[in-house]
Amino acid sequence: MPADTLTRVFSALADPTRRDMVARLAERDATVNQLAEPYRMSLQAVYKHLKVLEDAGVVSRPPGPQPRTVRLETEVFDEMNAWIELYRERAERRYRRLDTLLEAMRDEDMRDEERDDHDQDR
């Protein structure tokens, strides 16, 4: 996924109303009026939120007569997940290397303490 596409998707999902719309569309497709029901905002404001989601590729509305249903485009989530997973794996590898280093340091400390104890017993 190109970086500017990722930026548009993350920007679109930064708004809690749009995330709520996505959550509801994950359950089922809906018309704009159905999507607008729970919000205290004008239908025009709902259309603005949908436009942002559409421009980011998160949702689509097929051409045709009104009322058109809004549907979630799941491919964009696969691409986001791949991007997130890439950095999660890198971070986990880094933490595993740190764990290995800390374990080696702890083992060395234990050996030093055993040597010190052994030297004191003489």
Side-chain angles (χ1 to χ4, degrees), residues 7-8 33 48 66 79 93-94 107 109 116 121:
T7 300
R8 279 197 306 269
N33 284 333
K48 280 186 177 180
Q66 299 287 348
E79 294 175 25
R93 278 196 306 264
R94 201 176 93 225
D107 290 348
D109 283 348
D116 289 345
D121 289 343

Side-chain angles (χ1 to χ4, degrees), residues 42-81:
S42 67
L43 199 55
Q44 189 175 17
V46 171
Y47 272 107
K48 280 186 177 180
H49 282 295
L50 285 175
K51 176 81 170 113
V52 172
L53 290 170
E54 278 183 311
D55 289 348
V58 176
V59 301
S60 65
R61 287 185 292 164
Q66 299 287 348
R68 296 184 299 169
T69 55
V70 181
R71 67 179 291 241
L72 204 55
E73 294 296 329
T74 57
E75 298 83 18
V76 75
F77 294 103
D78 293 338
E79 294 175 25
M80 287 176 61
N81 192 45

Side-chain angles (χ1 to χ4, degrees), residues 68-115:
R68 296 184 299 169
T69 55
V70 181
R71 67 179 291 241
L72 204 55
E73 294 296 329
T74 57
E75 298 83 18
V76 75
F77 294 103
D78 293 338
E79 294 175 25
M80 287 176 61
N81 192 45
W83 184 85
I84 291 168
E85 190 63 23
L86 172 72
Y87 292 102
R88 187 187 65 76
E89 286 176 8
R90 286 182 185 178
E92 283 184 359
R93 278 196 306 264
R94 201 176 93 225
Y95 290 134
R96 280 195 297 270
R97 285 194 309 265
L98 180 59
D99 285 345
T100 301
L101 177 64
L102 291 173
E103 191 171 318
M105 291 172 67
R106 188 174 34 242
D107 290 348
E108 190 175 317
D109 283 348
M110 288 177 66
R111 282 192 299 272
D112 287 347
E113 286 178 17
E114 286 174 7
R115 252 183 265 135

Side-chain angles (χ1 to χ4, degrees), residues 1-9 79 83:
M1 177 183 280
D4 58 342
T5 302
L6 259 179
T7 300
R8 279 197 306 269
V9 171
E79 294 175 25
W83 184 85

